[in-house]
């Protein structure tokens, strides 16, 4: 407990506290005495430990108001007001001693009175460096309330330490520590400057344009829900998500993605990975232990399935998406697929493959888990509808705002088949939904049309940026072949066989350019060399110098492997 005593509470029980407990009808508050009264009371304090505090604090019941009391009250009021920050108080303004543990202890060693013991504890904390020079100690009223004693006890302790030079008091400012063990004066706290990232240019996939996050609109949504949320919204959250957001998400998916979604089938989660873990646990509870994933593919999806205890089978992807014939030769009864935009190849599951995949799920009595991670960004035509609408009884739909707004929000959704919704929630009894106010803010953000407006602006911005990246690569990296340009926030740059893409990624990172190798998303290395270039989290003006640096990196000769040491 901050500023708490380690001995029994009885040793600091004040007379007024005891009287209040014994006489609940009495509400009179003792006033602060003047110094003359306190001095006289100190002389008459009882030596017995059991009544020491009572005898010491009887002086607080004086019948006169004095200038000292008025000055104390004025100081308390001044402490509560905000004062302009100066270089001398820059550090102290953000460094308070409120959470320092004080070992006041029982009466011993000649320190029988409570204010003496409090002064001793504060003095020890200052000498040991736990209270640094310039730290502000709490106002006497606040500290007295925490200790359960009179304000007189605290003001006496503070006055003693001020006289000794350990504390200093100044009109218009809080009482502060004025002594340090090494005698060096306090240094003003420098305002923390934003850390410069070690990477100058970010061409790695996985992030949207974080600079374009709609801060003002999101803040408006947060303020709106913070002011309008009813009291029961602030209680324990529904593990399935707040009904308002579930309704909003279901409506959004029906109108924009062609999904067959209903509020009762929607679960709010922390993102696609969280949604997949929940789905895999539900599948395992239903007896499905084999899951197929795309190859190459996002490693976190594979890891999520392994975490849930499933066996994972990698199924190759070609220009038409997942090869369903290869899937049928495995023992899997469930598969994770990026139907609208596969990561990292950028291919779209062809209409024939979609129909084939749904038939496969029915034949094996299994399920398709559709990862709809960035399908809102399609540039050749309108976004393709989700597979879930073709067979909502066999297809799970996973989505989030990580690629559209920011992964920092930690907001996503999972649409489960109606027959599996109860099993899904039963298989994840300790799953927790994101913070309720964040859920309500997202619902407001969508309902007011701000999400659609943000997506329209983002599509235009990303299309322009993609075109610039393609043109610049064509002129500076002519040996590369570009693919996967129709949608999403990344492209593939295929390079000639023998290109050391691993070395290029390392060299680029050393030069301040972040890249990703296609092999990073394979379970086994391939002879086909390619880089995965993201253009979400980079500005248009940064693309030319970034590509120039990439071209220079690719022109460097590959390092020969070093000979083993003798």
């Amino acid at each position: 407990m901050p500023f708490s005593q380690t001995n029994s509470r009885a040793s600091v029980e004040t007379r007024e506290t005891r009287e209040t407990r014994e006489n609940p009808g009495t509400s009179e508050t003792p006033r602060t005495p003047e110094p003359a009264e306190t001095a006289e009371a100190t002389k008459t304090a009882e030596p017995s430990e059991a009544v020491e505090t009572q005898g010491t604090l009887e002086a607080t019941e004086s019948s006169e108001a004095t200038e000292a009391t008025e000055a104390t009250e004025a100081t308390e009021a001044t402490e509560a007001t905000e004062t302009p920050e100066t270089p001398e108080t820059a550090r102290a303004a953000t460094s308070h001693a409120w959470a320092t543990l004080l070992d006041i202890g029982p009466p011993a060693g000649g320190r029988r009175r409570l204010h003496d013991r409090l002064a001793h504890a504060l003095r020890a904390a200052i000498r040991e460096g736990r209270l640094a020079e310039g730290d502000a100690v709490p106002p006497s009223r606040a500290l007295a309330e925490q200790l359960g004693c009179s304000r007189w006890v605290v003001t006496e302790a503070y006055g003693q330490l001020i006289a000794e030079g350990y504390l200093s008091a100044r009109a218009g400012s809080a009482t502060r520590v004025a002594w340090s063990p090494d005698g060096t004066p306090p240094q003003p706290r420098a305002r923390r400057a934003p850390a410069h990232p070690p990477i100058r240019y970010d061409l790695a996939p996985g992030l949207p344009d974080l600079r374009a996050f709609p801060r003002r609109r999101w803040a408006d949504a947060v303020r709106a829900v913070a002011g309008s949320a009813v009291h029961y919204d602030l209680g324990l959250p529904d593990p399935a998500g707040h009904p308002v957001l579930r309704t909003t998400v279901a409506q959004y998916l029906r109108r924009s993605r062609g999904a067959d979604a209903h509020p009762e089938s929607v679960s709010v989660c922390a993102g696609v990975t969280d949604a997949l873990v929940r789905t895999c646990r539900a599948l395992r509870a239903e007896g499905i232990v084999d899951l197929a994933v795309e190859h190459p593919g996002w490693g976190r999806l594979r890891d999520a399935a392994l975490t849930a205890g499933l066996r994972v089978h990698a199924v190759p992807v070609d220009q038409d998406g997942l090869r369903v014939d290869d899937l049928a030769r495995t023992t899997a009864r469930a598969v994770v697929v990026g139907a609208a935009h596969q990561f990292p190849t950028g291919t779209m599951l062809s209409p024939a493959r979609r129909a084939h995949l749904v038939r496969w799920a029915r034949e094996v009595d299994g399920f398709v888990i559709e990862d709809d991670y960035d399908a809102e960004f399609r540039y050749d035509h309108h976004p393709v509808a989700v597979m879930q609408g073709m067979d909502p009884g066999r297809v799970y739909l996973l989505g989030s705002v990580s690629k559209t707004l920011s992964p920092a929000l930690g907001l996503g959704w999972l649409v489960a088949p109606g027959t599996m919704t109860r099993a899904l929630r039963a298989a994840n009894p300790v799953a927790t939904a994101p913070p309720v106010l964040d859920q309500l803010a997202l619902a407001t953000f969508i309902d007011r049309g701000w999400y659609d407006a943000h997506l329209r602006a983002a599509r235009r911005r990303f299309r322009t940026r993609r075109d610039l990246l393609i043109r610049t690569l064509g002129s500076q990296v002519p040996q590369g072949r570009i693919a996967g340009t129709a949608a999403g926030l990344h492209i593939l740059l295929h390079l000639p066989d023998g290109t050391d893409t691993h070395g290029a990624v390392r060299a680029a990172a050393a030069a301040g350019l972040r890249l990703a190798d296609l092999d990073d998303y394979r379970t086994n290395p391939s002879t086909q060399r390619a880089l995965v270039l993201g253009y979400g989290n980079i500005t248009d003006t940064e693309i030319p110098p970034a590509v120039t640096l990439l071209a220079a990196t690719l022109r460097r000769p590959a390092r020969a492997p070093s000979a083993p040491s003798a």
Side-chain angles (χ1 to χ4, degrees):
M1 172 182 178
F3 278 107
S4 60
Q5 302 181 46
T6 57
N7 59 321
S8 68
R9 187 164 179 86
S11 65
V12 296
E13 187 177 41
T14 63
R15 174 182 178 184
E16 56 267 30
T17 302
R18 187 154 43 241
E19 288 183 350
T20 301
R21 188 185 67 245
E22 296 172 355
N23 303 289
T26 303
S27 59
E28 183 178 7
T29 303
R31 52 177 192 84
T32 305
E34 62 179 274
E37 295 174 325
T38 60
E40 184 64 27
T42 302
K43 294 178 183 178
T44 60
E46 292 292 337
S48 172
E49 176 182 345
V51 297
E52 173 272 338
T53 302
Q54 176 182 347
T56 303
L57 300 180
E58 281 181 347
T60 63
E61 298 181 357
S62 172
S63 60
E64 281 186 57
T66 64
E67 293 181 359
T69 303
E70 294 173 357
T72 300
E73 292 176 350
T75 301
E76 292 293 334
T78 304
E79 289 174 351
T81 62
E82 184 176 351
T83 58
E85 185 174 313
T86 64
E88 291 78 11
T89 62
R91 177 183 177 277
T94 56
S95 181
H96 301 278
W98 289 67
T100 303
L101 182 67
L102 296 179
D103 185 4
I104 296 177
R111 294 183 298 276
R112 308 192 59 83
R113 295 170 297 185
L114 180 57
H115 67 83
D116 286 337
R117 287 160 27 216
L118 176 59
H120 174 75
L122 285 166
R123 189 184 300 111
I126 295 171
R127 287 178 175 177
E128 295 167 5
R130 290 185 286 124
L131 295 181
E133 186 174 2
D135 283 353
V137 295
S140 59
R141 186 188 302 277
L143 181 53
E145 182 179 352
Q146 291 186 18
L147 293 179
C149 65
S150 167
R151 283 177 62 197
W152 176 85
V153 172
V154 181
T155 56
E156 280 293 293
Y158 283 0
Q160 179 65 30
L161 295 178
I162 290 172
E164 296 175 5
Y166 287 100
L167 297 178
S168 65
R170 186 175 59 182
S173 178
T175 301
R176 300 184 183 277
V177 177
W179 185 89
S180 63
D182 55 6
T184 58
Q187 299 298 319
R189 181 187 293 268
R191 295 194 179 277
R192 185 169 58 182
H196 294 286
I199 296 296
R200 290 183 293 165
Y201 309 116
D202 189 0
L203 282 177
L207 288 175
D209 193 341
L210 302 180
R211 301 169 185 82
F213 179 79
R215 298 171 185 264
R216 184 174 64 84
R217 290 297 193 191
W218 185 260
D220 290 343
V222 171
R223 279 193 296 269
V225 301
S228 63
V230 292
H231 67 279
Y232 48 79
D233 286 333
L234 305 179
L236 294 175
D238 186 337
H242 197 285
V244 170
L245 180 57
R246 288 161 55 195
T247 300
T248 297
V249 167
Q251 293 172 348
Y252 169 75
L253 293 176
R254 284 201 302 269
R255 65 175 171 82
S256 68
R257 302 295 297 123
D260 186 355
H262 306 278
E264 57 273 11
S265 65
V266 174
S267 297
V268 179
C269 52
V272 168
T273 303
D274 180 30
L276 182 60
V277 170
R278 298 190 192 193
T279 302
C280 289
R281 288 174 179 165
L283 294 176
R284 183 176 176 83
E286 294 295 310
I288 298 177
V289 296
D290 291 273
L291 176 78
V293 297
E294 297 169 316
H295 184 258
W298 191 27
R300 290 190 64 182
L301 298 182
R302 180 173 56 251
D303 295 341
L306 293 172
T307 299
L310 301 188
R311 292 190 294 264
V312 177
H313 305 265
V315 177
V317 173
D318 59 22
Q319 67 276 8
D320 290 325
L322 181 81
R323 295 167 59 172
V324 184
D325 288 337
D326 291 349
L327 170 64
R329 287 191 284 270
T330 70
T331 57
R333 288 178 53 201
V335 59
V336 184
V337 60
H341 186 230
Q342 200 273 337
F343 183 86
T345 64
T347 60
M348 181 180 70
L349 193 64
S350 67
R353 293 271 178 92
R354 286 179 170 231
H356 191 180
L357 190 57
V358 170
R359 288 197 305 271
W360 167 87
R362 294 169 180 169
E363 291 169 359
V364 300
D365 191 23
F367 297 93
V368 176
I369 305 169
E370 184 175 8
D371 178 12
D372 198 42
Y373 73 101
D374 69 352
E376 292 88 352
F377 300 126
R378 190 153 196 95
Y379 312 116
D380 54 353
H381 50 71
H382 290 296
V384 179
V386 295
M387 281 185 59
Q388 190 264 355
M390 299 175 63
D391 193 343
R394 291 289 177 185
V395 182
Y396 288 83
L397 179 62
L398 282 52
S400 76
V401 297
S402 296
K403 299 297 186 291
T404 54
L405 290 173
S406 166
L409 296 179
L411 290 166
W413 51 82
L414 161 62
V415 184
T419 57
M420 290 291 292
T421 301
R422 181 173 298 179
L424 173 76
R425 293 170 185 168
N428 296 274
V430 296
T432 58
V436 171
L437 291 182
D438 291 347
Q439 295 185 54
L440 295 176
L442 178 58
T444 299
F445 194 80
I446 296 174
D447 290 339
R448 294 189 178 183
W450 297 340
Y451 190 55
D452 288 335
H454 171 74
L455 290 179
R456 288 194 299 269
R459 287 189 198 101
R460 291 192 296 268
R461 183 169 58 253
F462 290 141
R463 183 187 294 110
T464 301
R465 191 173 301 165
R466 177 206 61 175
D467 294 344
L468 175 61
L469 178 59
I470 292 173
R471 289 196 306 269
T472 310
L473 286 170
S475 62
Q476 299 202 36
V477 190
Q479 73 274 26
R481 179 175 60 85
I482 299 171
T485 63
L489 300 176
H490 73 274
I491 61 174
L492 278 186
L493 179 64
H494 292 277
L495 296 168
D497 292 346
T499 303
D500 182 12
T501 51
H502 295 285
V505 170
R506 290 193 300 269
L513 171 64
R514 181 180 285 118
L515 304 172
D517 189 347
L518 183 59
D519 270 355
D520 294 339
Y521 307 102
R522 293 182 172 124
T523 56
N524 298 305
S526 171
T527 58
Q528 297 180 349
R529 315 311 304 156
L531 296 174
V532 186
L533 304 181
Y535 51 86
N537 195 34
I538 190 171
T539 64
D540 294 358
T541 57
E542 290 175 338
I543 285 180
V547 174
T548 299
L549 185 55
L550 169 61
T553 301
L554 293 175
R555 285 194 296 268
R556 295 178 184 176
R559 290 185 178 180
S562 57
S565 57

